[in-house]
Amino acid sequence: DCSKFVQCANGYLFIQSCQPGLFYNYKTDQCDWLSNIPDDSPCLHNDETTLKPTTSTTTMKPTTTEEETTTSETETTTTEEETTTPEEETTTTFEIPTKPPIDCFPQACNINDDGTINEHEVYPNTADPCHASYFECNLNRTCYFECGHGLFFNNVTLSCELPTEDPDYWCLDEDNQGTMASIKSMRNSHPVLDPSKMNMPECYESISSQCTFSFRPSYGLFSREGDSCVNEYEICYEGWICKMRCDAGFLLDLDDKECKPKRYFIC
């Protein structure tokens, strides 16, 4: 079943399902559109299930009477009405809100060493000391964007993310205890990625809770309350709520609220 995949954590296997309309891509290790699923995926060759779209041709028998001809035309009209419905539903799914740019202007993308010009490029705003803005160029037009509140532009991944360990990426307010506590809890960890949603980070901006910083361990699928070895937790930082996971080789210290090397734990 290409719509399902197996996830392993703490020595246990769990069967997970992709979001509706997505299928597991074993090469990218995430759920993806059906058209991107490799042709050699075993589930595509299951005799009981065919996922790849197929076409079929139906030949109508010639009609000899006006009454039969009228019936065929009526049936054809009904089919067209039925096929119109999913097209309308599909159109509404593409209404995805995007953050508008601050400013756009005609400017070509950067030139490569071989003399070619990039058609698309994302690069940091080097004039921003807090690294909270960036430029995006596409087809000789460049736009200026600002990261969401509480996020900072990562020069390596070229995306807006939670504050990193490197203070060069953002303006460090050492007098803010909430900021310093959040940095401590985010060290040696990363946002959890959801394979069922094309590896999207499990983060969302909370409108109702504009917290400066909060922390709590995450129990449920992979761990239970009372376990001595936990590696997932939830933080709220500057209004962003994210599910985090300790990096490989680290576990969560519930007392100090930070990820520490495994050698400090007995599991």
Side-chain angles (χ1 to χ4, degrees):
D1 186 348
C2 284
S3 66
K4 299 181 183 295
F5 59 94
V6 179
Q7 190 170 20
C8 175
N10 294 334
Y12 295 94
L13 296 178
F14 300 88
I15 297 179
Q16 307 279 32
S17 297
C18 295
Q19 294 295 306
L22 300 181
F23 301 88
Y24 185 73
N25 187 329
Y26 77 91
K27 289 188 176 181
T28 61
D29 199 25
Q30 67 183 44
C31 294
D32 205 342
W33 301 115
L34 178 59
S35 58
N36 295 331
I37 304 302
D39 291 333
D40 59 350
S41 295
C43 56
L44 293 179
H45 303 282
N46 191 330
D47 294 336
E48 298 179 359
T49 305
T50 301
L51 294 178
K52 289 292 185 179
T54 58
T55 57
S56 60
T57 303
T58 303
T59 303
M60 299 292 295
K61 291 184 177 181
T63 57
T64 55
T65 64
E66 295 181 357
E67 183 176 350
E68 290 178 348
T69 303
T70 303
T71 303
S72 300
E73 292 176 352
T74 303
E75 291 176 352
T76 304
T77 303
T78 303
T79 303
E80 291 177 352
E81 292 177 354
E82 291 177 352
T83 56
T84 302
T85 302
E87 293 178 355
E88 294 176 353
E89 294 177 352
T90 303
T91 302
T92 59
T93 59
F94 289 95
E95 297 179 359
I96 302 175
T98 57
K99 183 178 180 180
I102 305 299
D103 185 29
C104 293
F105 46 89
Q107 178 176 305
C109 298
N110 293 326
I111 302 176
N112 299 317
D113 295 336
D114 58 1
T116 60
I117 300 178
N118 294 324
E119 292 186 355
H120 175 265
E121 188 177 14
V122 177
Y123 54 94
N125 178 16
T126 55
D128 182 2
C130 294
H131 296 261
S133 60
Y134 62 96
F135 292 98
E136 182 173 9
C137 173
N138 189 43
L139 299 177
N140 297 326
R141 186 171 177 82
T142 299
C143 293
Y144 168 76
F145 293 87
E146 291 182 351
C147 294
H149 176 71
L151 301 182
F152 302 86
F153 190 78
N154 188 321
N155 296 348
V156 178
T157 62
L158 300 180
S159 63
C160 295
E161 302 175 354
L162 291 174
T164 65
E165 296 180 55
D166 191 343
D168 292 337
Y169 283 133
W170 58 298
C171 296
L172 179 63
D173 183 6
E174 296 183 356
D175 296 329
N176 189 321
Q177 294 183 356
T179 298
M180 300 308 296
S182 64
I183 295 302
K184 176 182 176 182
S185 293
M186 283 188 278
R187 290 195 182 109
N188 304 314
S189 67
H190 56 276
V192 174
L193 304 181
D194 188 349
S196 70
K197 299 178 180 178
M198 298 187 182
N199 274 353
M200 289 178 58
E202 294 191 25
C203 298
Y204 64 93
E205 190 174 10
S206 175
I207 300 177
S208 60
S209 177
Q210 295 297 326
C211 64
T212 301
F213 173 71
S214 64
F215 169 95
R216 68 177 181 181
S218 179
Y219 301 113
L221 186 61
F222 300 127
S223 60
R224 301 289 184 269
E225 189 171 358
D227 288 352
S228 58
C229 293
V230 179
N231 68 347
E232 292 184 356
Y233 58 100
E234 184 182 276
I235 62 170
C236 184
Y237 173 78
E238 296 293 340
W240 283 91
I241 299 177
C242 282
K243 187 175 181 181
M244 306 290 291
R245 180 179 294 136
C246 296
D247 294 339
F250 290 81
L251 291 172
L252 182 62
D253 188 317
L254 298 178
D255 295 328
D256 292 340
K257 299 180 180 180
E258 64 176 312
C259 296
K260 294 183 177 179
K262 281 186 176 181
R263 64 177 179 272
Y264 296 121
F265 300 84
I266 300 177
C267 297

